[in-house]
Coordinates of all heavy atoms in Angstrom, one line a residue:
P371 N -66.5 33.9 7.1 CA -66.5 32.8 8.1 C -65.6 31.7 7.7 O -65.5 31.3 6.5 CB -68.0 32.4 8.1 CG -68.7 33.6 7.5 CD -67.8 34.2 6.5
R372 N -64.9 31.1 8.7 CA -63.9 30.1 8.4 C -64.6 28.9 7.7 O -63.9 28.3 6.8 CB -63.3 29.6 9.7 CG -62.3 30.6 10.3 CD -61.7 30.1 11.6 NE -60.7 31.1 12.1 CZ -59.4 31.2 11.8 NH1 -59.0 30.3 10.9 NH2 -58.6 32.1 12.3
E373 N -65.8 28.5 8.1 CA -66.4 27.4 7.4 C -66.7 27.7 6.0 O -66.6 26.8 5.1 CB -67.7 27.0 8.2 CG -68.8 28.0 8.2 CD -68.7 28.9 9.4 OE1 -67.6 29.0 10.0 OE2 -69.7 29.6 9.8
H374 N -67.0 28.9 5.7 CA -67.3 29.3 4.3 C -66.0 29.3 3.5 O -65.9 28.9 2.3 CB -67.9 30.7 4.2 CG -69.3 30.7 4.7 ND1 -70.1 31.9 4.7 CD2 -70.1 29.8 5.4 CE1 -71.2 31.6 5.3 NE2 -71.2 30.4 5.7
V375 N -64.9 29.7 4.2 CA -63.6 29.8 3.5 C -63.1 28.4 3.2 O -62.6 28.1 2.1 CB -62.6 30.5 4.4 CG1 -61.2 30.3 3.8 CG2 -62.9 32.0 4.6
A376 N -63.3 27.4 4.1 CA -62.9 26.1 3.9 C -63.6 25.5 2.7 O -63.0 24.8 1.9 CB -63.2 25.2 5.2
T377 N -64.9 25.7 2.6 CA -65.7 25.2 1.5 C -65.2 25.8 0.2 O -65.1 25.1 -0.8 CB -67.2 25.5 1.7 OG1 -67.6 24.9 2.9 CG2 -68.0 25.0 0.6
A378 N -64.9 27.1 0.2 CA -64.5 27.8 -1.0 C -63.1 27.3 -1.5 O -62.9 27.0 -2.7 CB -64.4 29.3 -0.8
I379 N -62.2 27.1 -0.5 CA -60.9 26.6 -0.9 C -61.0 25.2 -1.5 O -60.3 24.9 -2.5 CB -60.0 26.6 0.4 CG1 -59.7 28.0 0.9 CG2 -58.6 25.9 0.1 CD1 -59.0 28.9 0.0
A380 N -61.8 24.3 -0.9 CA -61.9 23.0 -1.4 C -62.5 23.0 -2.8 O -62.1 22.2 -3.6 CB -62.8 22.2 -0.4
R381 N -63.5 23.8 -3.0 CA -64.1 23.9 -4.3 C -63.2 24.4 -5.4 O -63.1 23.9 -6.5 CB -65.4 24.8 -4.2 CG -66.2 24.9 -5.4 CD -67.4 25.8 -5.1 NE -68.2 26.1 -6.3 CZ -69.2 26.9 -6.3 NH1 -69.6 27.6 -5.2 NH2 -69.9 27.1 -7.4
L382 N -62.4 25.4 -5.0 CA -61.4 26.0 -6.0 C -60.4 25.0 -6.3 O -59.9 24.8 -7.5 CB -60.8 27.2 -5.4 CG -61.7 28.5 -5.3 CD1 -61.0 29.5 -4.4 CD2 -61.9 29.1 -6.7
C383 N -59.9 24.2 -5.3 CA -58.9 23.1 -5.6 C -59.5 22.1 -6.5 O -58.8 21.6 -7.5 CB -58.5 22.5 -4.3 SG -57.4 23.6 -3.2
A384 N -60.7 21.7 -6.3 CA -61.3 20.7 -7.1 C -61.5 21.1 -8.5 O -61.5 20.3 -9.4 CB -62.7 20.3 -6.4
N385 N -61.8 22.4 -8.7 CA -62.0 22.9 -10.0 C -60.7 23.3 -10.8 O -60.8 23.8 -11.9 CB -62.9 24.2 -9.9 CG -64.3 23.8 -9.5 OD1 -64.8 22.7 -9.6 ND2 -65.1 24.8 -9.0
G386 N -59.6 23.1 -10.1 CA -58.3 23.4 -10.7 C -58.0 24.9 -10.7 O -57.0 25.3 -11.4
L387 N -58.7 25.7 -10.0 CA -58.5 27.1 -10.0 C -57.5 27.5 -8.9 O -57.0 28.6 -8.9 CB -59.8 27.9 -9.8 CG -60.9 27.7 -10.8 CD1 -62.2 28.4 -10.5 CD2 -60.4 28.2 -12.2
L388 N -57.2 26.6 -8.0 CA -56.3 26.8 -6.9 C -55.4 25.6 -6.8 O -55.9 24.5 -6.6 CB -57.0 27.1 -5.6 CG -56.2 27.6 -4.4 CD1 -55.6 29.0 -4.7 CD2 -57.1 27.7 -3.2
D389 N -54.1 25.8 -7.1 CA -53.2 24.6 -7.2 C -51.8 25.0 -6.7 O -51.1 25.8 -7.4 CB -53.1 24.2 -8.7 CG -52.3 22.9 -8.8 OD1 -51.4 22.7 -8.0 OD2 -52.6 22.1 -9.8
D390 N -51.4 24.6 -5.5 CA -50.2 25.0 -4.9 C -49.0 24.5 -5.8 O -48.0 25.2 -5.8 CB -50.0 24.4 -3.5 CG -50.7 25.3 -2.5 OD1 -51.4 26.3 -2.9 OD2 -50.6 25.0 -1.3
A391 N -49.1 23.4 -6.4 CA -48.0 22.9 -7.3 C -47.8 23.9 -8.4 O -46.6 24.2 -8.8 CB -48.3 21.5 -7.7
R392 N -48.8 24.2 -9.1 CA -48.8 25.2 -10.2 C -48.3 26.5 -9.8 O -47.4 27.2 -10.4 CB -50.1 25.3 -10.9 CG -50.1 26.1 -12.2 CD -51.4 26.0 -12.9 NE -52.5 26.6 -12.1 CZ -53.6 26.0 -11.8 NH1 -53.9 24.8 -12.3 NH2 -54.6 26.6 -11.1
Y393 N -48.8 27.0 -8.6 CA -48.3 28.3 -8.1 C -46.8 28.3 -7.8 O -46.1 29.2 -8.1 CB -49.1 28.6 -6.8 CG -48.7 29.8 -6.0 CD1 -49.1 31.0 -6.3 CD2 -47.9 29.6 -4.9 CE1 -48.7 32.1 -5.6 CE2 -47.4 30.7 -4.2 CZ -47.9 32.0 -4.5 OH -47.5 33.1 -3.8
A394 N -46.4 27.2 -7.1 CA -45.0 27.1 -6.8 C -44.1 27.0 -8.0 O -43.0 27.7 -8.0 CB -44.7 25.8 -5.9
E395 N -44.5 26.4 -9.0 CA -43.7 26.3 -10.3 C -43.6 27.7 -10.9 O -42.5 28.0 -11.4 CB -44.3 25.3 -11.2 CG -43.4 25.0 -12.4 CD -43.9 23.8 -13.3 OE1 -44.4 22.9 -12.7 OE2 -43.7 23.9 -14.5
A396 N -44.7 28.4 -10.9 CA -44.6 29.8 -11.5 C -43.7 30.7 -10.7 O -42.9 31.4 -11.3 CB -46.0 30.4 -11.5
K397 N -43.7 30.6 -9.4 CA -42.8 31.4 -8.6 C -41.4 30.9 -8.8 O -40.5 31.8 -8.8 CB -43.2 31.2 -7.1 CG -44.5 32.0 -6.7 CD -44.3 33.5 -6.8 CE -45.6 34.2 -6.4 NZ -45.4 35.7 -6.5
A398 N -41.2 29.6 -8.8 CA -39.8 29.1 -9.0 C -39.3 29.6 -10.4 O -38.1 30.0 -10.5 CB -39.8 27.6 -8.9
R399 N -40.1 29.5 -11.4 CA -39.7 29.9 -12.8 C -39.3 31.4 -12.8 O -38.3 31.8 -13.4 CB -40.8 29.6 -13.8 CG -40.3 29.7 -15.2 CD -41.4 29.2 -16.2 NE -41.8 27.9 -15.9 CZ -41.1 26.8 -16.3 NH1 -39.9 27.0 -17.0 NH2 -41.5 25.6 -16.0
S400 N -40.0 32.2 -12.1 CA -39.8 33.7 -12.0 C -38.4 33.9 -11.4 O -37.6 34.8 -11.8 CB -40.9 34.4 -11.2 OG -40.5 35.7 -11.0
G401 N -38.1 33.1 -10.3 CA -36.8 33.3 -9.6 C -35.6 32.6 -10.3 O -34.5 32.9 -9.9
I402 N -35.9 31.7 -11.2 CA -34.8 31.0 -11.9 C -34.5 31.6 -13.3 O -33.4 31.9 -13.7 CB -35.1 29.5 -12.0 CG1 -35.1 28.9 -10.5 CG2 -34.1 28.8 -12.9 CD1 -35.6 27.5 -10.5
V403 N -35.6 31.8 -14.0 CA -35.5 32.3 -15.4 C -35.4 33.9 -15.4 O -34.8 34.5 -16.2 CB -36.6 31.8 -16.3 CG1 -36.5 32.4 -17.7 CG2 -36.7 30.3 -16.3
G404 N -36.2 34.5 -14.5 CA -36.3 35.9 -14.5 C -35.2 36.5 -13.6 O -34.0 36.2 -13.8
K405 N -35.5 37.3 -12.6 CA -34.5 37.8 -11.7 C -33.9 36.6 -10.9 O -34.6 35.9 -10.2 CB -35.2 38.8 -10.7 CG -34.2 39.4 -9.7 CD -35.0 40.3 -8.7 CE -34.0 40.9 -7.7 NZ -34.7 41.8 -6.7
P406 N -32.5 36.4 -11.1 CA -31.9 35.2 -10.5 C -32.0 35.2 -8.9 O -31.7 36.2 -8.3 CB -30.5 35.3 -10.9 CG -30.3 36.7 -11.3 CD -31.6 37.3 -11.8
R407 N -32.6 34.1 -8.4 CA -32.7 34.0 -7.0 C -32.2 32.6 -6.6 O -32.4 31.6 -7.3 CB -34.1 34.2 -6.5 CG -34.8 35.4 -7.1 CD -36.1 35.7 -6.4 NE -35.9 36.2 -5.0 CZ -36.9 36.2 -4.1 NH1 -38.0 35.8 -4.4 NH2 -36.6 36.7 -2.9
S408 N -31.7 32.5 -5.4 CA -31.2 31.2 -4.9 C -32.4 30.2 -4.6 O -33.5 30.6 -4.3 CB -30.3 31.3 -3.7 OG -31.1 31.7 -2.6
R409 N -32.0 28.9 -4.6 CA -33.0 27.9 -4.2 C -33.5 28.2 -2.8 O -34.7 28.1 -2.6 CB -32.4 26.5 -4.3 CG -33.2 25.4 -3.7 CD -32.5 24.1 -3.6 NE -32.4 23.5 -5.0 CZ -33.3 22.6 -5.4 NH1 -34.3 22.3 -4.7 NH2 -33.2 22.1 -6.6
R410 N -32.6 28.5 -1.9 CA -33.0 28.7 -0.5 C -34.0 29.9 -0.4 O -35.0 29.8 0.3 CB -31.8 29.0 0.3 CG -32.0 29.3 1.8 CD -30.8 29.5 2.5 NE -31.0 29.8 3.9 CZ -30.1 30.2 4.8 NH1 -28.8 30.4 4.4 NH2 -30.4 30.5 6.0
R411 N -33.7 31.0 -1.2 CA -34.6 32.2 -1.1 C -36.0 31.8 -1.7 O -37.0 32.3 -1.1 CB -34.0 33.3 -1.9 CG -34.7 34.6 -1.7 CD -34.8 35.1 -0.3 NE -33.5 35.5 0.3 CZ -32.9 36.7 0.1 NH1 -33.4 37.6 -0.6 NH2 -31.7 36.9 0.7

Side-chain angles (χ1 to χ4, degrees):
R372 288 182 178 274
E373 62 272 19
H374 293 184
V375 172
T377 301
I379 296 295
R381 185 176 172 187
L382 289 165
C383 289
N385 292 339
L387 300 176
L388 192 61
D389 185 331
D390 276 5
R392 186 173 64 231
Y393 172 83
E395 188 170 326
K397 288 294 185 181
R399 193 172 301 281
S400 175
I402 293 170
V403 180
K405 180 180 178 181
R407 310 191 73 197
S408 69
R409 169 187 284 269
R410 181 181 178 186
R411 187 61 66 84

